[in-house]
Amino acid sequence: MTANSPHATLIGSIAILLWSTLALFTTQANLVPPLLLLTLTFGVASLLFFIVYLAKGELKSSWANTPKSAIIMGGLGFYFYHFCYFYAFQHAPPVEAGLIAYLWPLLIVLMAGMTTGHSLSWTHLVGAVIAFIGTGIMLQSKGQSIEVESNAAYHWTGYAAAFACAFIWSSYSVANRRFQSVPSSAVLWYCLVTTLLAGASHLMIEAQNWQPSIDFPASTWIAILGLGLGPVGVAFFCWDFGVKKGNLSLLGVLSYTAPALSTAWLGLFTDAQLTIGQIIACLLITAGALFASLMPNKKIPLAVETKGIG
């Protein structure tokens, strides 16, 4: 399958749909310490991929055909993105942290357009700006309903961690195109590395006085399974395939639909009430993504190219 394949782009967009359920599942698993949650969910994802590729007889070939540099990059990318995400929300105001962290789709659009052999569509750029404005409105609207303790100690490192989230995931997504020949089954090894790193971090950092059978109700375990199978499982396979073979700039812009869909799921399946600001934001985000996707072929070459990526 050639690069910029519409089929691969469609598969990549499935990851965005699955990621939009992340907040819904996470609200049902809020009793679990974050690094433990990361360990359990990626553990479920690792087990899922292991069973699938064992049944297909592709474990040995996947390991043999996956460069160790790709495993290191994928595992560290998955782990540090989530680690920085949790740290940012603990050390910076949630609204600002969320807005900064969700710069990654815009960074993907810009990074992809500046890679060697690629050009940036003006429709992608305009669509990204429109969607980014919508994301800012949405996060601000969410922030109005979030009560923050007046004595909460915030630090500039929280803002730095939020930006690190955006930079890590956008850089990983763009750099991953260097491994187009690597099978997407390699996601198994990425998830396994993340599970081990998160487990070790949990043992070193988080308290160990929880009892799963007592502290976590059945709904929590269902949420953990849902996270591991969906936004932390299949989604990464779809995204890996999409960024390697699909239209990366378009996927970056379409990623802005994730917060809009996430808010919709919360409004439909929880007691959350959508505000006017959130509805307006959803419309802006959707409009920006549609604008980029309906006119993807009018391109202008960039004068500056970045070597070594693409």
Side-chain angles (χ1 to χ4, degrees), residues 89-94 148-149 152-156 159:
F89 274 76
Q90 292 173 355
H91 294 82
V148 181
E149 296 182 5
Y154 294 128
H155 196 263
W156 66 268
Y159 295 102

Side-chain angles (χ1 to χ4, degrees), residues 20 138 256-265 281-283 285-286:
S20 72
M138 173 172 290
Y256 277 109
T257 61
L261 290 172
S262 177
T263 301
W265 302 146
C282 287
L283 293 176
I285 291 169
T286 303

Side-chain angles (χ1 to χ4, degrees), residues 15-308:
I16 300 169
L17 178 63
L18 291 173
W19 282 332
S20 72
T21 66
L22 183 62
L24 180 62
F25 282 120
T26 301
T27 58
Q28 303 302 314
N30 56 8
L31 296 176
V32 187
L35 286 172
L36 175 60
L37 182 61
L38 184 57
T39 305
L40 293 174
T41 53
F42 272 95
V44 170
S46 299
L47 181 60
L48 168 66
F49 288 131
F50 183 85
I51 293 175
V52 169
Y53 293 115
L54 179 63
K56 295 177 67 175
E58 297 180 6
L59 280 180
K60 291 184 178 179
S61 61
S62 175
W63 178 259
N65 294 326
T66 303
K68 302 307 175 284
S69 58
I71 293 177
I72 293 173
M73 184 188 76
L76 292 179
F78 283 15
Y79 171 77
F80 280 109
Y81 169 78
H82 290 87
F83 181 85
C84 290
Y85 185 87
F86 294 138
Y87 184 93
F89 274 76
Q90 292 173 355
H91 294 82
V95 174
E96 288 85 346
L99 178 58
I100 295 171
Y102 224 86
L103 284 169
W104 67 262
L106 182 59
L107 291 179
I108 285 179
V109 173
L110 298 177
M111 288 182 179
M114 293 187 290
T115 55
T116 302
H118 295 80
S119 57
L120 185 67
S121 168
W122 70 269
T123 57
H124 288 165
L125 187 59
V126 174
V129 172
I130 295 173
F132 180 68
I133 293 173
T135 302
I137 294 174
M138 173 172 290
L139 290 171
Q140 181 61 42
S141 179
K142 285 183 178 181
Q144 293 172 356
S145 62
I146 297 176
E147 294 183 2
V148 181
E149 296 182 5
S150 59
N151 60 348
Y154 294 128
H155 196 263
W156 66 268
T157 55
Y159 295 102
F163 181 78
C165 289
F167 184 77
I168 289 170
W169 194 249
S170 56
S171 299
Y172 161 77
S173 298
V174 175
N176 201 27
R177 287 176 74 91
R178 298 176 60 185
F179 299 104
Q180 290 189 28
S181 61
V182 176
S184 290
S185 60
V187 171
L188 162 62
W189 314 115
Y190 305 165
C191 289
L192 187 58
V193 170
T194 304
T195 303
L196 295 175
L197 289 174
S201 299
H202 165 67
L203 293 175
M204 291 186 295
I205 298 174
E206 292 178 334
Q208 308 297 312
N209 57 355
W210 53 271
Q211 299 181 26
S213 60
I214 299 177
D215 297 336
F216 303 156
S219 60
T220 296
W221 290 108
I222 293 174
I224 290 172
L225 288 175
L227 286 167
L229 296 176
V232 175
V234 175
F236 285 121
F237 170 87
C238 294
W239 187 251
D240 183 86
F241 188 80
V243 298
K244 287 178 178 176
K245 304 294 185 179
N247 188 323
L248 187 57
S249 294
L250 181 54
L251 283 173
V253 175
L254 291 176
S255 297
Y256 277 109
T257 61
L261 290 172
S262 177
T263 301
W265 302 146
L266 290 173
L268 288 173
F269 297 107
T270 70
D271 295 330
Q273 299 295 321
L274 297 184
T275 66
I276 297 299
Q278 288 172 333
I279 294 174
I280 293 174
C282 287
L283 293 176
L284 280 174
I285 291 169
T286 303
L290 287 176
F291 183 82
S293 62
L294 290 176
M295 303 176 62
N297 296 319
K298 295 182 179 181
K299 298 181 178 180
I300 53 174
L302 293 181
V304 180
E305 294 184 343
T306 301
K307 297 182 178 180

